[in-house]
Amino acid sequence: MFKSKKEKKINHPFWGLIIMVILTVIATWILPAGEYNRIVSDTGRTIVDPDSYHLVAKNPAGIADFFKSFHYGYLKASGVMAVVTFIGGAFGVLKGLGILDAVVKKLTQKMANKSFIMLSGVIMITIAIHHSFTGMRELDVVFVALIIPVCLKMGYDSMTGVAVVFLGSLAGFAAALANPFFTGIAHQIAELEMYSGMWYRGIVLVFLLISGLIYLSYYAHKVKKYPEKSITYDIEAVNKQRFLSEDTEEKVEELSTRKKLGGVTFLVIFIYMVYGCMKLKFGYAQLSGCFVAMTFLTGLVSGISLNETCYLMTDGIKDILIAVLIIFFARSILVIMENAKIVDTVIHFLSQFVVGTSSTISAMVLFILQCFINFFIPSGSGQAVITMPIVTPLADLGNVTRQTACLASQLGDGITNYLYPTNGTLMAALAVGGLTYTHWFKFIWKMFIVWTVGCTLMVGLAQIIQLA
């Protein structure tokens, strides 16, 4: 039997990327090849000479180039792919040991009798800090399932539970204090010190958290007072039966002393990694080493065998594998563009929209461009790999600081990930919560406008103060 239209699966992330690779191959036959001369500045950065664009001999991609591009994309993206792989392994051990679930359940139970602002605030901050340093949005699926029952028991609706998770997740993922998925890649490509400018992203994080909490608190108060005004009123009966049908007083499984020590071990290494990012100029090798240490030392201290640790690690890697593969699929697009020498041609064309106006306006335009691009490339790491080699010289041409360009790009990616239905993680988490995309859009669109305006202004301010 054929599936109905409603049962049709969402397009796989690879589908869109492969289409883009094919279109890029076609573009190499249409677009003229061209280059800017590049010089090394006094600061040691490679910059373009804005007046040096010139045409060169065409080198269009063929069928063989299409197939080989994935191999070369894999090689060139291997550093960041390693970090992301080891992140999955480390959190696979933490989750498999039950430490992650126990901490979240304990937190929500401890806060259940507190005020809603305190409950949602603590959960949002916790999720935001986690995502800001790891970029692991995939865990939103777990958090949604844990927090919806708490909100329902407190008299709120399913949307409130989903929003607590998503708003905290967005704040952390968009501000990305030290997110290897976007910030790390962007800084490497832009030749910036890894995770520099963190203080300003911290201000952005506070803005996103506070505005999100105010918006959510207003909605939650309204729903508790007038349940019929809930956006998810049509599914609340089903969700209450689904999430509260089991023993609602279920006790949190007490972790053994060894597992508690394992959790502490994980946390200590994580804190050291954050310190290393901020003070020791950690690169991909050091970040990978920290996550490998988290994986095996957490397992060892928790009292499980090396064999069990390896199984949990591979389970975690399976969960993150698509994100890993997206990185080199995206990098293959740039491989084709570089070999055909059309990257600078694209830069030369886009410079017409960026150059010739104030640098502040140019920075804001970069942010809007990134918001648009994210609809077609719903992967932060994939988007960074494709766009930053173009955005960086564009920023130079428009006299925008590279730090501001990176900020504009990651904010454009970050906030739209929670609006566009092309994002697989968003749709998966909504499905776990029993919500449709229509439910979520009705809730988020007003907040999205506020964030878009706010982020545009903060990008402009970053340029005004010459954020570096």
Side-chain angles (χ1 to χ4, degrees):
M1 295 290 291
F2 292 104
K3 291 184 177 181
S4 67
K5 290 184 178 180
K6 288 185 178 181
E7 294 176 314
K8 186 179 179 181
K9 291 183 179 179
I10 298 173
N11 289 331
H12 194 283
F14 290 176
W15 180 88
L17 288 170
I18 292 173
I19 294 298
M20 289 192 67
V21 176
I22 294 172
L23 292 176
T24 303
V25 170
I26 296 172
T28 65
W29 289 86
I30 299 172
L31 298 179
E35 284 184 335
Y36 281 104
N37 293 332
R38 283 165 169 77
I39 57 178
V40 179
S41 68
D42 295 336
T43 61
R45 294 177 185 169
T46 303
I47 61 175
V48 299
D49 178 352
D51 299 319
S52 65
Y53 179 78
H54 58 280
L55 297 177
V56 298
K58 293 192 68 169
N59 183 35
I63 295 177
D65 296 313
F66 167 79
F67 291 111
K68 290 189 296 183
S69 69
F70 298 98
H71 169 77
Y72 292 117
Y74 189 100
L75 293 179
K76 293 194 174 186
S78 59
V80 66
M81 287 171 63
V83 175
V84 176
T85 300
F86 296 132
I87 288 175
F91 279 92
V93 172
L94 195 70
K95 186 171 181 289
L97 288 168
I99 297 173
L100 185 63
D101 286 358
V103 169
V104 174
K105 287 180 181 178
K106 196 74 174 179
L107 175 66
T108 53
Q109 285 196 359
K110 286 284 186 182
M111 299 298 298
N113 297 321
K114 307 295 182 183
S115 70
F116 177 78
I117 291 181
M118 184 177 292
L119 168 69
S120 55
V122 170
I123 294 174
M124 285 171 63
I125 291 171
T126 301
I127 293 175
I129 292 174
H130 174 273
H131 287 15
S132 192
F133 285 96
T134 68
M136 295 249 332
R137 290 182 57 233
E138 289 74 16
L139 290 176
D140 288 353
V141 175
V142 177
F143 295 148
V144 163
L146 292 172
I147 293 173
I148 283 182
V150 177
C151 289
L152 291 177
K153 283 187 284 185
M154 293 178 68
Y156 301 104
D157 63 352
S158 305
M159 178 58 74
T160 303
V162 169
V164 169
V165 175
F166 281 2
L167 298 184
S169 176
L170 180 147
F173 190 79
L177 301 184
N179 177 351
F181 285 88
F182 197 109
T183 313
I185 299 173
H187 282 186
Q188 183 190 46
I189 294 172
E191 298 178 319
L192 294 172
E193 183 179 321
M194 188 74 82
Y195 302 132
S196 55
M198 189 181 293
W199 68 272
Y200 193 82
R201 294 196 298 281
I203 295 174
V204 176
L205 175 62
V206 172
F207 159 69
L208 294 172
L209 277 173
I210 292 178
S211 57
L213 181 58
I214 292 172
Y215 184 71
L216 174 61
S217 298
Y218 171 77
Y219 173 80
H221 175 75
K222 179 181 68 175
V223 166
K224 190 166 187 177
K225 191 173 182 180
Y226 306 105
E228 68 277 5
K229 292 189 176 182
S230 165
I231 290 175
T232 53
Y233 187 72
D234 59 321
I235 62 168
E236 284 308 297
V238 174
N239 266 9
K240 285 179 180 178
Q241 183 177 9
R242 174 186 172 197
F243 285 103
L244 302 180
S245 58
E246 300 177 0
D247 183 7
T248 58
E249 300 300 322
E250 178 185 1
K251 294 182 179 180
V252 177
E253 181 183 351
E254 189 67 27
L255 294 175
S256 67
T257 302
R258 292 288 298 269
K259 287 186 177 181
K260 289 178 181 178
L261 290 174
V264 171
T265 300
F266 188 98
L267 183 61
V268 168
I269 300 173
F270 188 87
I271 292 173
Y272 170 71
M273 182 192 71
V274 173
Y275 172 78
C277 291
M278 298 175 66
K279 298 293 184 181
L280 305 179
K281 300 182 180 179
F282 276 8
Y284 288 147
Q286 291 79 12
L287 289 173
S288 294
C290 285
F291 282 111
V292 172
M294 289 180 206
T295 300
F296 292 105
L297 292 182
T298 299
L300 176 65
V301 174
S302 297
I304 63 174
S305 68
L306 177 61
N307 191 50
E308 289 177 284
T309 300
C310 290
Y311 271 108
L312 294 180
M313 177 185 71
T314 52
D315 284 343
I317 292 173
K318 288 177 186 175
D319 291 340
I320 205 74
L321 184 59
I322 287 183
V324 176
L325 299 180
I326 281 174
I327 295 172
F328 85 81
F329 266 70
R331 189 64 177 83
S332 64
I333 296 171
L334 192 61
V335 166
I336 291 174
M337 293 179 70
E338 289 173 338
N339 291 341
K341 299 186 182 300
I342 63 171
V343 175
D344 284 3
T345 299
V346 174
I347 293 170
H348 183 63
F349 171 75
L350 292 177
S351 67
Q352 299 173 56
F353 302 97
V354 176
V355 180
T357 182
S358 74
S359 60
T360 302
I361 298 298
S362 296
M364 294 178 176
V365 170
L366 289 176
F367 167 71
I368 299 301
L369 282 174
Q370 204 73 39
C371 288
F372 176 75
I373 290 170
N374 196 39
F375 183 84
F376 302 97
I377 314 173
S379 161
S381 51
Q383 192 173 151
V385 168
I386 296 171
T387 63
M388 285 313 299
I390 296 173
V391 168
T392 301
L394 268 179
D396 293 341
L397 293 171
N399 295 316
V400 177
T401 70
R402 292 190 177 186
Q403 191 69 252
T404 301
C406 289
L407 177 69
S409 297
Q410 75 179 53
L411 288 177
D413 166 68
I415 66 171
T416 54
N417 271 318
Y418 296 81
L419 179 74
Y420 294 157
T422 52
N423 190 283
T425 301
L426 171 67
M427 302 305 289
L430 287 174
V432 168
L435 277 65
T436 65
Y437 176 73
T438 302
H439 288 134
W440 174 244
F441 184 82
K442 287 180 180 178
F443 173 84
I444 198 63
W445 73 270
K446 294 178 183 177
M447 189 72 252
F448 181 78
I449 292 174
V450 172
W451 275 331
T452 300
V453 173
C455 288
T456 302
L457 294 176
M458 296 198 80
V459 168
L461 178 61
Q463 178 57 28
I464 291 173
I465 65 174
Q466 293 290 293
L467 184 65

